Amino acid sequence: MRIVLLGPPGSGKGTQAALLADALGVPAVSTGELFRAHVAEGTEFGRMAAVFASVGDLVPDDATTTMLIERLEQPDCLAGYLLDGFPRTVGQAERLREELRARATRLDAVIDLEVADAELIRRMTARRVLLDGAWVTRADDQPETVRHRLEVYREQTAPLVEFYEADGIVRRVDADADVDTVAARVLAALDLGTPNSTQPPVG
Ligand code: AMP
């Protein structure tokens, strides 16, 4: 299955992507993680991406899409993948659609994780990462940057729900709940039942 996971920053997208990818047996591909790996390796590309990410802006479409398509060409993505954080603009979605068409394939579903802004800000400003043995706030999780990332999401990424509505593949999920509840809702939205389901597979 080829699935896109949409949701504002702080909606639990990364956590749900890992759980769902596991349940489906496909890799979770996160452009945010791919960028952070470049930043950590100190590549030229990483230095460019860091300038945008540190202030909560999107990295330009061309560089982002090229990096993503390269990743999707790896053998582990042949049977499917779960995209976390891509596409983030209509331009990226159009380019992805073209690339998939060229390979005679398409997306199976787009999951939209819905959470109210106030809860997103509360979650993100509370989130910590381990850096050199100390727990710190991620640079792009500072309150001002968080607000800006939400604006960017509303302006540039939220329109993707409508973009994919036209294909009839959007599944909206109320993500204002604990991790397991949201995971069960995501599986149900994909008609895959609950993770602990004892039902035998049909067909
Ligand atoms: P994330 O971990 O998905 O929140 O991504 C962290 C940062 O990486 C974002 O704030 C952007 O600066 C950048 N980024 C990640 N994915 C994309 C994308 N699809 N398009 C543009 N920038 C992205």
Side-chain angles (χ1 to χ4, degrees):
M1 279 185 112
R2 291 175 185 81
I3 297 176
V4 164
L5 202 52
L6 286 181
S11 59
K13 224 169 5 92
T15 306
Q16 293 301 328
L19 292 173
L20 185 58
D22 234 34
L24 297 175
V26 296
V29 175
S30 151
T31 39
E33 288 300 326
L34 292 174
F35 282 136
R36 281 188 284 279
H38 274 282
V39 172
E41 284 166 24
T43 67
E44 197 176 321
F45 184 52
R47 278 194 290 279
M48 187 274 281
V51 173
F52 293 93
S54 63
V55 291
D57 281 335
L58 296 183
V59 179
D61 279 357
D62 231 26
T64 305
T65 312
T66 303
M67 175 185 75
L68 190 269
I69 300 297
E70 264 176 30
R71 174 68 188 90
L72 297 188
E73 280 167 354
Q74 301 297 310
D76 64 327
C77 289
L78 274 178
Y81 41 77
L82 184 71
L83 296 184
D84 163 16
F86 187 97
R88 226 105 140 191
T89 65
V90 171
Q92 292 178 13
E94 284 171 343
R95 175 92 186 274
L96 178 64
R97 175 174 286 171
E98 281 166 24
E99 295 284 344
L100 291 175
R101 266 201 194 132
R103 291 163 178 75
T105 184
R106 59 189 197 91
L107 294 173
D108 296 292
V110 172
I111 302 278
D112 181 31
L113 299 178
E114 300 179 317
V115 184
D117 276 9
E119 172 62 10
L120 294 172
I121 291 172
R122 191 195 66 72
R123 286 187 193 178
M124 277 197 288
T125 48
R127 155 163 110 167
R128 297 280 181 277
V129 289
L130 197 58
L131 186 72
D132 295 333
W135 288 99
V136 296
T137 301
R138 231 171 71 177
D140 57 352
D141 278 348
Q142 301 294 339
E144 269 317 297
T145 316
V146 161
R147 268 185 216 101
H148 181 60
R149 287 169 69 202
L150 282 176
E151 277 168 24
V152 168
Y153 183 83
R154 298 291 173 219
E155 280 169 20
Q156 303 199 51
T157 309
L160 288 179
V161 175
E162 214 174 301
F163 178 92
Y164 286 121
E165 284 284 14
D167 298 335
I169 56 172
V170 176
R171 310 270 190 277
R172 292 167 195 269
V173 172
D174 175 1
D176 193 353
D178 61 85
V179 170
D180 291 344
T181 304
V182 177
R185 287 177 186 168
V186 169
L187 288 176
L190 290 169
D191 297 326
L192 294 171
T194 59
N196 299 322
S197 172
T198 50
Q199 301 273 327
V202 178

